[in-house]
Amino acid sequence: MKKRILLALFLIVFSLLSACRKDPSAYGDSIYSNIKAPAFSGYICGYEGSKTFLQLPIFIQTDSELSINEITNISLTGDKVTFPCSDYSLSSFTESKYDGYKFATLSFRMSLEKKGNFQLSKINIVFSDQSEAQLNLGEINLDIRANQAPEIEYLSMSQFFVNQAEPSTLRISYTNNTNEPITINNFSYPSDICTGVEIEKYSDFELSTKENDLIIPPTEEKTFVVTFDFDSDFINNEGQFYYFLPFVEYKINNTEVVIPGQTQATIVQIPFSEKIIKKIIN
């Protein structure tokens, strides 16, 4: 009799625990199926041991909620390689032009932990209940080099602009933080995606006066218009989104320095029309 009573109590307790237990995979499936992101591609350079700032628009259904507190881990992965991220933030959601979906910008810093050339194709987002969303991106090429940055910041970026309709052209201003002239030599991309570059210098960011050299006088700021000859397969995919972050090569006092050309990757993001969003969602 006592054995029957104990067995009955055990079954009751087990049933209650089973009913209360949350199935992480079920929640994970819901989050995974709900979050969508554009298939970003592009090229990002940097130094080993540094971090680079990235942003990614994400779409969820209008009646769903997502806060940054629910995201516990972000990483970008490729073929047998993983790059961890930190400093997550999420903007407010905005209604999109596609009925039933809203979007926000997910921001984070990716750690460039080892030097080499890598290709990333997925972003992995882990939530507070240990469920995970894995979103397919495009082909993001990483060029990570041994840290060669000088202890003193000779050259600093002041501002930059890219026309979404002409993503091959970058307008960027640099300030010479020294008492010596600095000469801009080149902006570099891998030869398989860019066959050449044209550089023009102007007196200011409004491009009021074109100048004939590529020298930044001591303590002055100059603007450069940089036009890349990208391979058509890299830049002309309809509905594609891109990250751009090349190296800039300059010379000061017979010393050649190579550093990332900007403080963060430029995002070439075409407008989120109803047609584009539908493509992302589906």
Side-chain angles (χ1 to χ4, degrees):
M1 184 67 179
K2 289 184 178 180
K3 290 183 177 180
R4 291 181 179 178
I5 294 175
L6 290 173
L7 179 60
L9 289 172
F10 174 79
L11 291 174
I12 291 172
V13 172
F14 181 79
S15 298
L16 290 172
L17 289 174
S18 299
C20 293
R21 185 182 296 120
K22 185 176 181 180
D23 181 2
S25 63
Y27 180 66
D29 289 343
S30 174
I31 290 293
Y32 176 79
S33 62
N34 194 18
I35 294 180
K36 307 291 182 180
F40 267 96
S41 294
Y43 170 82
I44 300 171
C45 77
Y47 284 132
E48 181 182 16
S50 66
K51 294 183 179 181
T52 191
F53 179 78
L54 297 177
Q55 293 179 308
L56 181 70
I58 58 173
F59 289 79
I60 64 172
Q61 294 174 355
T62 304
D63 57 359
S64 299
E65 297 297 332
L66 178 65
S67 72
I68 194 62
N69 294 329
E70 296 177 67
I71 298 176
T72 61
N73 188 270
I74 297 175
S75 61
L76 273 73
T77 61
D79 184 21
K80 299 180 181 179
V81 64
T82 298
F83 286 87
C85 303
S86 61
D87 304 326
Y88 322 134
S89 64
L90 184 67
S91 71
S92 300
F93 279 92
T94 302
E95 296 300 318
S96 73
K97 295 181 180 180
Y98 185 70
D99 188 41
Y101 276 84
K102 58 187 178 180
F103 71 96
T105 300
L106 179 63
S107 303
F108 48 90
R109 293 186 183 277
M110 181 174 62
S111 297
L112 307 180
E113 294 191 324
K114 51 187 175 181
K115 64 181 179 180
N117 295 291
F118 309 94
Q119 290 183 348
L120 305 178
S121 58
K122 297 180 185 295
I123 181 170
N124 305 283
I125 306 173
V126 179
F127 300 93
S128 55
D129 68 342
Q130 300 304 307
S131 60
E132 182 175 350
Q134 187 179 78
L135 306 178
N136 293 320
L137 301 177
E139 184 180 282
I140 300 174
N141 296 275
L142 291 184
D143 184 356
I144 305 174
R145 303 182 186 180
N147 196 338
Q148 302 173 7
E151 294 183 5
I152 301 174
E153 188 180 30
Y154 299 139
L155 188 73
S156 59
M157 191 205 76
S158 309
Q159 51 189 329
F160 68 89
F161 171 77
V162 62
N163 187 338
Q164 306 293 345
E166 298 179 9
S168 295
T169 299
L170 173 68
R171 188 195 313 179
I172 187 165
S173 290
Y174 288 112
T175 299
N176 182 345
N177 301 314
T178 77
N179 293 319
E180 302 291 337
I182 290 177
T183 302
I184 300 296
N185 290 333
N186 192 26
F187 287 80
S188 56
Y189 275 101
S191 59
D192 58 342
I193 64 173
C194 182
T195 58
V197 60
E198 179 181 338
I199 308 172
E200 297 177 334
K201 191 186 83 173
Y202 291 84
S203 60
D204 52 45
F205 201 68
E206 287 68 40
L207 309 183
S208 57
T209 304
K210 185 177 179 180
E211 299 182 358
N212 294 325
D213 57 45
L214 299 180
I215 298 173
I216 308 175
T219 70
E220 291 191 20
E221 177 182 332
K222 296 294 180 180
T223 296
F224 299 85
V225 175
V226 188
T227 303
F228 300 100
D229 186 9
F230 287 118
D231 181 84
S232 59
D233 293 335
F234 179 71
I235 195 65
N236 292 329
N237 294 326
E238 182 181 1
Q240 186 60 276
F241 298 77
Y242 298 91
Y243 291 115
F244 290 113
L245 181 52
F247 282 106
V248 59
E249 303 170 10
Y250 66 88
K251 187 174 183 179
I252 177 172
N253 281 338
N254 296 319
T255 299
E256 295 185 354
V257 182
V258 181
I259 61 172
Q262 299 138 238
T263 55
Q264 66 186 62
T266 299
I267 298 178
V268 178
Q269 179 176 294
I270 59 180
F272 287 122
S273 65
E274 182 179 4
K275 178 182 177 182
I276 292 297
I277 298 172
K278 187 176 181 180
K279 183 178 180 180
I280 294 171
I281 300 305
N282 295 329

